[in-house]
Amino acid sequence: MSSQPAAPPLAMTHRQIMEALTGLLAAFFTAILSSTIVANALPTIMSDLHGTQTDFAWVITAALLANAVTTPLWGKLSDLFNKKLLVQLSIVIFVAGSVMAGLSETIPLLLTARVIQGVAMGGLTALAQAIIGTMIPPRDRGKYSGYMGAVMAVGTAGGPLLGGFIVDSPLGWRWTFFVCVPLAVVALILLQITLKIEHIKRHVKIDWLGSILLTSGVSLLLIWVSFAGNPAYYDWVSWQSAVMVGGGVVLLALLVLVESKVEQPIIPLKIISERTTALAIIASVAVGIAMFGSTTFLGQYFQVARGATPTEAGLLTLPMIAGNLTGSVVAGLLISRTGKWKGYLVGGSILLIGGLGLAGTMDHTTELWQAGIFTAILGVGLGMLMQNLVLAVQNTVRASDIGTASSSVAFFRSVGGAIGVSVLGAVLSSRVSELATQGLTAAGIPVTGGSAGASMDLVDMPEQVREIMRAAYGDATAEIFLISAGVAVIALISVLFIKERPLRRTVDIQPEAASGATADAEANANAESTTPELASANR
C-alpha cells in the first residue's frame, strides 16, 4: 500500500485520459498535417523555385531524415526529462521551421527549414507514443492508439486537401507552411491546460557520442543513395560511392560499439535485440519505405501525370486516407477488446502488398475510380500496421523504457521512409527521363543534354512536349509502387515470425514478466504500478 502515493497519475479514468490526450493529439495532428499539407503544393513549389525531381524528393527526405535521426534522442530525453516540457519545446521548434519554410526564396533555404520541421516532428511523434505508453496499459492502449491513428488519418487526409485549396487560392503555396503556425500555438495552449502527468526524476546522462554517430552514419548513407547513379553527380561504382558507403558503415559500426558500452545508450541494444522488437523494427523499415516512398509520389502522379489541380489531387487521395482511418480505428478497437494483435499485423501486411501491387498496374490512362480502389486497399493495410507495430513493442518493455522503445520503432520507420523517398525518387527520375527521351524521339523532337526528365516545370512547355512528359511521369510511377510492394513482403515475413504475447493489463512490467513469468509476477507488477481501483477495474 505504501507504493500507492507514487502511482495516481497512472490510475486514470477514460475521461481523465481523454482530457490529457486533447492537447497531445492536437500537437500530433499539427505535425502530421505539416508533413502532408506540402505534398500537393510541391509541384507548384518546384515550378516556382525552379526545382528538379531530385529537389522534389529532398524536400520530403530532408524532413524525414531529421525526423529519423532525432527521434531516438527525443525518446531518450522523454525517459529522462519532463515529457510535457519536451512536447512544448518541439512545438516551438516546429513553429520556427514553418515560418522559415514559408519565407524561403531558394531550394537550399527551403531544405534547411524542412530539417528544422523534421527535428520538431521527430519530437512530437516520439513523445506522443511515449506519453500514451506512460499513462495506459497495453491491453487498453489499442483503443487509444486507434484514436491516434484516427487523428493521423484525418491529418493525412486534411493536409493534401487543405494544401491543394491554399495553392489554388490567392494565398499561394507559402501559406501551406504558415497555416500550421496558429494550429501549433493552439496545441501548445491545450497541452499546458490538459496534459497533467507526473515526472519521476532520474539520473540524467545523454549519449551524445551515440547521437552524433547515428546522425552522421545515417545521413551519409542517405545522401549517397540520393545522388548515386545520377549523371550530374557520380556513378554507383565510383570513388565517391566507396568513400560515402565505407564512411557510413564505419560510423554505424562505431555506433554499435559505443551503444554496447555506455550507461544510457541512445538506442539500447538490449531492447532492440529482443525478438518482438527486432522483428517489429524490420517490419517498420519496410512499412516506412512502402508508405513514404509510394504515397509521397501519389499527389505528383495526379497533378503531373493526370493534369489535376492541387485541390483535385487532394480529393483523389481520399480513398487511401479513408482506408487508413478505417484500418487504424477498427483494428485498435478490436485489439483492445480481444487482447490479440498479431492477426491484424499479418492482415495489414497482406493488404499493403495487395494495394501496392495493384497500384503498380496504373499508368497515365488508368481510370481514376480504379486508382481509388487500389489506394484504399493500400490505406487499410497501413492503418492496421503502423500503430500496432509500436503497440507490440510497448507490450514487451518496462514503462521507464517505453519512450526509447517506441522511438526506436519510429526511428527505423522514418529511416525506411527517407530511404524510400530518396531511392524511389532517383528511380522515378531516371525512369521518367528514359520514357520522356523515348517519347520525344518517337515524335521527332530533338532531345538535348540528356535531361528530358529533370525539370518538373511543365507549364511553359509546348503542348506536345507537355503531353509526352505527362505520360512519362504517369507510366514511371507504376514502377515505384511495384518496388514498394516487393519491399512490403519483408514486412509480412517479419510479422509472421513475431511471437504473439497477450497484451498485459498493467502499465509497467517486471523483469520476470518480460521473460514470460507467471501471472503472479504480473499481478505484483500491477500492484506496484497501479492503484487498487485500477487493478480491480482491469480484472
Side-chain angles (χ1 to χ4, degrees):
M1 300 295 290
S2 59
S3 62
Q4 291 178 18
L10 300 176
M12 301 173 69
T13 65
H14 172 73
R15 179 177 177 178
Q16 290 172 327
I17 290 173
M18 291 307 299
E19 287 176 352
L21 288 181
T22 302
L24 186 65
L25 292 179
F28 189 62
F29 173 76
T30 303
I32 296 300
L33 188 70
S34 73
S35 63
T36 60
I37 196 172
V38 73
N40 286 330
L42 271 179
T44 303
I45 295 173
M46 292 299 102
S47 179
D48 192 24
L49 299 183
H50 309 292
T52 65
Q53 180 66 54
T54 300
D55 296 327
F56 179 100
W58 264 94
V59 170
I60 303 294
T61 301
L64 285 175
L65 175 59
N67 187 330
V69 298
T70 58
T71 294
L73 181 58
W74 285 110
K76 172 56 67 176
L77 290 173
S78 76
D79 289 334
L80 303 176
F81 297 107
N82 188 292
K83 295 178 176 62
K84 179 176 178 177
L85 184 61
L86 290 172
V87 173
Q88 292 171 319
L89 176 61
S90 298
I91 293 176
V92 172
I93 295 173
F94 172 79
V95 168
S98 297
V99 172
M100 183 177 175
L103 296 175
S104 298
E105 296 290 345
T106 64
I107 292 292
L109 188 60
L110 178 61
L111 293 178
T112 302
R114 292 289 289 169
V115 168
I116 296 172
Q117 282 188 309
V119 170
M121 287 189 286
L124 290 171
T125 50
L127 292 163
Q129 293 285 2
I131 291 172
I132 285 181
T134 300
M135 296 191 301
I136 309 164
R139 179 61 184 267
D140 300 324
R141 206 172 294 153
K143 176 171 60 178
Y144 297 101
S145 293
Y147 295 151
M148 180 172 284
V151 169
M152 178 180 290
V154 172
T156 308
L161 280 173
L162 182 58
F165 174 79
I166 291 173
V167 171
D168 286 338
S169 75
L171 293 174
W173 63 263
R174 296 184 186 279
W175 276 89
T176 59
F177 297 106
F178 292 147
V179 75
C180 293
V181 174
L183 293 175
V185 173
V186 170
L188 191 66
I189 296 171
L190 284 174
L191 275 169
Q192 183 61 36
I193 297 172
T194 63
L195 186 59
K196 296 179 176 62
I197 55 175
E198 181 185 16
H199 172 61
I200 301 175
K201 292 184 178 180
R202 299 172 56 196
H203 172 61
V204 176
K205 192 169 184 181
I206 303 297
D207 177 20
W208 294 113
L209 178 58
S211 301
I212 294 171
L213 290 171
L214 174 66
T215 303
S216 304
V218 172
S219 300
L220 195 56
L221 291 176
L222 281 177
I223 292 171
W224 169 67
V225 299
S226 296
F227 298 109
N230 189 321
Y233 296 97
Y234 47 83
D235 294 329
W236 288 102
V237 180
S238 62
W239 69 265
Q240 293 97 329
S241 290
V243 169
M244 297 180 80
V245 173
V249 170
V250 169
L251 288 170
L252 294 179
L254 289 173
L255 171 67
V256 173
L257 179 63
V258 169
E259 300 305 89
S260 66
K261 303 292 186 182
V262 297
E263 179 183 350
Q264 296 178 4
I266 196 74
I267 300 183
L269 301 181
K270 182 176 67 174
I271 291 178
I272 67 172
S273 62
E274 197 274 337
R275 176 176 173 174
T276 297
T277 308
L279 290 170
I281 283 173
I282 295 173
S284 294
V285 171
V287 169
I289 293 174
M291 178 178 67
F292 292 108
S294 60
T295 57
T296 291
F297 302 103
L298 192 59
Q300 179 182 338
Y301 167 79
F302 286 129
Q303 290 184 64
V304 178
R306 307 309 298 269
T309 66
T311 301
E312 290 168 345
L315 291 170
L316 289 168
T317 59
L318 280 179
M320 185 184 72
I321 307 310
N324 193 324
L325 175 63
T326 302
S328 176
V329 174
V330 173
L333 291 173
L334 291 175
I335 287 173
S336 285
R337 182 178 301 173
T338 64
K340 302 291 185 180
W341 47 266
K342 181 174 178 178
Y344 299 99
L345 295 182
V346 174
S349 300
I350 293 172
L351 289 172
L352 180 62
I353 295 169
L356 288 168
L358 289 170
T361 65
M362 297 191 309
D363 58 25
H364 69 286
T365 63
T366 301
E367 294 288 343
L368 293 178
W369 65 266
Q370 288 180 306
I373 292 175
F374 299 161
T375 56
I377 296 172
L378 164 62
V380 173
L382 287 173
M384 294 173 67
L385 276 170
M386 287 193 300
Q387 299 300 324
N388 295 324
L389 281 170
V390 177
L391 176 64
V393 170
Q394 289 181 340
N395 191 48
T396 66
V397 300
R398 295 178 59 87
S400 59
D401 294 323
I402 276 178
T404 302
S406 302
S407 64
S408 295
V409 177
F411 161 72
F412 285 103
R413 185 172 64 212
S414 296
V415 167
I419 292 172
V421 172
S422 297
V423 175
L424 296 180
V427 170
L428 180 62
S429 180
S430 175
R431 185 62 175 155
V432 166
S433 183
E434 180 183 335
L435 292 174
T437 301
Q438 293 174 1
L440 293 171
T441 302
I445 301 173
V447 180
T448 59
S451 58
S455 176
M456 292 186 64
D457 187 1
L458 308 185
V459 176
D460 297 326
M461 291 182 178
E463 178 65 25
Q464 186 179 12
V465 175
R466 183 161 58 247
E467 290 307 311
I468 291 173
M469 293 301 299
R470 289 194 190 281
Y473 270 101
D475 297 348
T477 303
E479 191 167 332
I480 299 300
F481 287 107
L482 286 176
I483 294 173
S484 299
V487 173
V489 173
I490 299 173
L492 175 60
I493 295 173
S494 298
V495 299
L496 284 173
F497 283 96
I498 292 179
K499 183 179 179 181
E500 183 167 35
R501 296 181 183 177
L503 297 178
R504 68 178 188 268
R505 294 183 180 274
T506 56
V507 172
D508 208 349
I509 186 172
Q510 293 293 341
E512 307 92 78
S515 58
T518 63
D520 289 339
E522 185 167 303
N524 290 335
N526 188 25
E528 293 180 7
S529 60
T530 64
T531 61
E533 292 81 7
L534 180 62
S536 176
N538 283 333
R539 287 194 293 270

